[in-house]
Structures are given as C-alpha cells and as structure tokens.
Amino acid sequence: MISKGRYAPSPTGPLHRGNLRTALIAWLQSRLTDGAFILRIEDLDQPRVRAGSDLQIMDDLRWLGLEWDEGPDQGGSSGPYYQSQRGSSYQQVMDRLQEQGLTYGCGCSRKEISKALSAPHANPGVYPGTCRNRAGTSNREGRVLAHRFRLSSQPIRVVDEILPPRRYHPSQEVGDFIVQRADGLFAYQLAVVVDDAQMGVTDVVRGADLAESTVRQLSLYQALGLSPPRFWHLPVMVDGEGRRLSKRDGSGSITSDRKEGISPEKVVGQLAASLGLVPAGSLLSAVELAEELTIRQLRSRLRQAG
Ligand code: GLU
C-alpha cells in the first residue's frame, strides 16, 4: 500500500520553529517513502482559531519548500480538509459508539473531578469514572452532558517508530475521556481518529507532546475495528531555557523570522541539524534534504535524537 502522511496544524497563531520542524519531518517521511502528503487544518476548537492563521500557515509551509498533494486549497479525494466542515463524519462515528454502549453522559464539573481525585489511591489526572453507570445523555434539569468514551480494562501495547514500545492499562492510567463536549463540539481525540482513518493516513508524524494521546486514539481505532497508522513521535523543540515553544505567545514565530530576511535554506538547515540529520551550518532546500537521506537513515537518526 502506498504510504500517506499528513501535517495537521491548529490555526491558532503563526507557526513556530517547533511546528515547522514537525511539518518538515512529516513531509520528509512521506517523500522518502514515495507517499502522498496531506495538509489538514484542525480548526475544531473555533474559539481558539485565529482568523487568517490557516492562510499564513500555508504560506509559511510553501515558503519552506513543503508542498502537499491534498489539502484545503488543493482539493483531493478525502476532503474537506478543514475539521470544522467534517462534523457529519464525526457524528456518524459518535452514533456508532453510542449504539455499541461505548460512550456515556458525564455531568461532572472540573471541581467534582478534582475532589474525587484527591481521594487516596486515586490516579492523578485519571477520570475517576463517577458517571460510568449513568443512563441517558442529559441531567435531571435537562442539561445536555458531555460524552465520555468507555475504555476497556484490557492492556494496550503502543509501538512507535521513534519512541520505545510501552504497555498501558488505559482504564487505570488514562481514564475515560471526553469525545464530545456538552456544547456539542467533538473532541480532538475523536476527530483525529476519524480523519486519519477516512483519509487513509498510514503514518502520523507529530510532536512527542501528543504521545500520551496515542493510547486514547488506539483505543478508539480498536473499538471502531479500524487499523491504526504508524506513529512517529518527534522530540519537542524547547527554547534556550528549556521551555516548550508555544504558538500562543508567538515564541520563535517563523513569520517574524521571514520579515527579517532569513532564507528557507537556512531554516531547513537549522531544523534538520537540530535533529542530527545534517551537520550544523548546512544550507539546503527541503528537496535537497530529501535527496540526502533514506527512510532508514531518517528513522535511526530520529531515534538517536529522541
Ligand atoms: N492539531 C494538533 C496540533 O496542532 C496536531 C494533532 C496531530 O498531529 O495529531 O498540535
């Protein structure tokens, strides 16, 4: 089967170098396997979306030399490529999960959850299952509840192209998670699985800050009888003080670097060197970087960098 990769930014601000590095490696992975590359805009959480950020992201990616075969301005057989336009797909899957009894309504407030979690033996950060046996999707006052996915108690093995394999007990270590909020918004965990599966994505390359989400997503793949993609979780880029870069505070925004006249070859060289793919100081285009490496070399150098 031909491979299919994707880059799936949230349009919440200008891309920083960490985002760009993930995009570069996702693109590289698909080019080195002669695969197709998708750009998907993850604009589900509308209140966090910044108008025009999608166009800026596309402009910055193209400036870096990255092209996609399917995407918002490109079309393709598995569109639409904006999550905000894919609600009917999410609803269908949600209905299926509901019919299988795999979701339940939850009316717990944050305060109630943290109170239950402060009990001895509670696993920190894990939803304590308060509403697990609740029937119906609204509370006594008729208020619609959030929907949680009922995790199985079976262990799950997570394999990664870069990170070491790990065994999880999702129901104890992760906890039933929200798939649809009370306001009707579908959660990232559900949307990303539906999209990657419907778009035929075979390789998910993203930051290791999402590695913990993988176990939730694998549980959904399993419940839906879908085969999951391969995961490549890349090291997260940090600033000089060891802090994670953030889109919201505009740290290391590529848009401002561009204004100062930096060349794309310099940025590609710096990003690739930061993962040990090329020597420091290299100046090269994304296409030249793809000519320098094989997929095996990419995998082994990323493992060393991780
Ligand atoms: N939209 C997510 C982000 O920008 C990425 C999700 C993913 O790659 O699975 O952080």
Side-chain angles (χ1 to χ4, degrees):
M1 188 180 63
I2 183 164
S3 73
K4 223 176 189 193
R6 50 72 155 182
Y7 180 56
S10 305
T12 51
L15 295 178
H16 57 58
R17 283 172 173 252
N19 302 132
L20 219 52
R21 188 170 80 173
T22 302
L24 175 67
I25 304 303
W27 173 87
L28 193 58
Q29 188 282 330
S30 85
R31 286 298 173 257
L32 295 182
T33 50
D34 288 325
F37 189 56
I38 299 180
L39 178 71
R40 180 174 72 233
I41 302 291
E42 302 213 319
D43 59 346
L44 258 193
D45 194 353
Q46 284 289 326
R48 288 185 52 226
V49 167
R50 265 215 241 155
S53 167
D54 55 339
L55 301 180
Q56 184 65 55
I57 288 175
M58 289 192 256
D59 192 61
D60 286 340
L61 294 175
R62 287 212 166 95
W63 172 82
L64 196 71
L66 310 186
E67 297 285 339
W68 42 97
D69 308 292
E70 294 179 39
D73 56 347
Q74 188 85 8
S77 54
S78 48
Y81 297 95
Y82 281 94
Q83 285 191 324
S84 57
Q85 297 168 15
R86 300 180 59 83
S88 58
S89 300
Y90 308 143
Q91 189 60 59
Q92 271 172 23
V93 170
M94 190 64 206
D95 291 345
R96 241 179 87 190
L97 292 174
Q98 227 158 344
E99 277 158 27
Q100 289 172 256
L102 289 173
T103 63
Y104 60 88
C106 170
C108 295
S109 64
R110 270 175 216 271
K111 214 166 140 192
E112 282 162 342
I113 295 176
S114 62
K115 201 167 147 213
L117 287 178
S118 65
H121 312 300
N123 204 342
V126 174
Y127 176 66
T130 320
C131 294
R132 250 191 159 215
N133 300 317
R134 174 201 274 278
T137 54
S138 53
N139 69 3
R140 254 181 278 139
E141 294 86 51
R143 192 169 59 83
V144 178
L145 306 170
H147 296 266
R148 282 186 190 271
F149 177 69
R150 193 185 295 280
L151 278 165
S152 124
S153 54
Q154 295 297 313
I156 216 167
R157 195 173 131 87
V158 180
V159 283
D160 197 287
E161 297 297 307
I162 303 174
L163 303 174
R166 235 194 106 174
R167 218 171 128 87
Y168 282 90
H169 286 87
S171 56
Q172 293 157 30
E173 289 168 76
V174 178
D176 296 347
F177 56 91
I178 293 187
V179 278
Q180 188 173 19
R181 291 179 2 186
D183 61 7
L185 265 191
F186 292 101
Y188 157 72
Q189 307 293 354
L190 179 88
V192 77
V193 167
V194 174
D195 290 345
D196 285 336
Q198 289 187 354
M199 293 181 179
V201 169
T202 58
D203 293 86
V204 168
V205 179
R206 61 187 179 194
D209 49 336
L210 288 165
E212 288 289 309
S213 286
T214 305
V215 63
R216 298 183 178 88
Q217 293 162 22
L218 286 173
S219 305
L220 283 170
Y221 277 100
Q222 214 169 55
L224 294 165
L226 298 167
S227 52
R230 283 179 288 268
F231 291 98
W232 305 62
H233 284 103
L234 304 174
V236 172
M237 198 184 260
V238 289
D239 66 12
E241 274 109 58
R243 282 184 310 231
R244 245 187 80 189
L245 306 181
S246 143
K247 249 190 231 161
R248 262 161 296 168
D249 64 20
S251 47
S253 136
I254 198 64
T255 317
S256 47
D257 284 350
R258 279 178 68 180
K259 282 196 194 119
E260 281 164 25
I262 196 164
S263 73
E265 290 77 14
K266 184 157 185 184
V267 176
V268 170
Q270 287 173 346
L271 297 176
S274 72
L275 288 168
L277 302 180
V278 294
S282 299
L283 288 179
L284 77 178
S285 68
V287 170
E288 284 163 348
L289 176 63
E291 283 161 4
E292 293 265 314
L293 294 162
T294 63
I295 189 69
R296 289 181 67 157
Q297 286 169 328
L298 177 69
R299 189 186 291 104
S300 78
R301 292 195 197 163
L302 290 175
R303 281 184 185 162
Q304 279 165 24

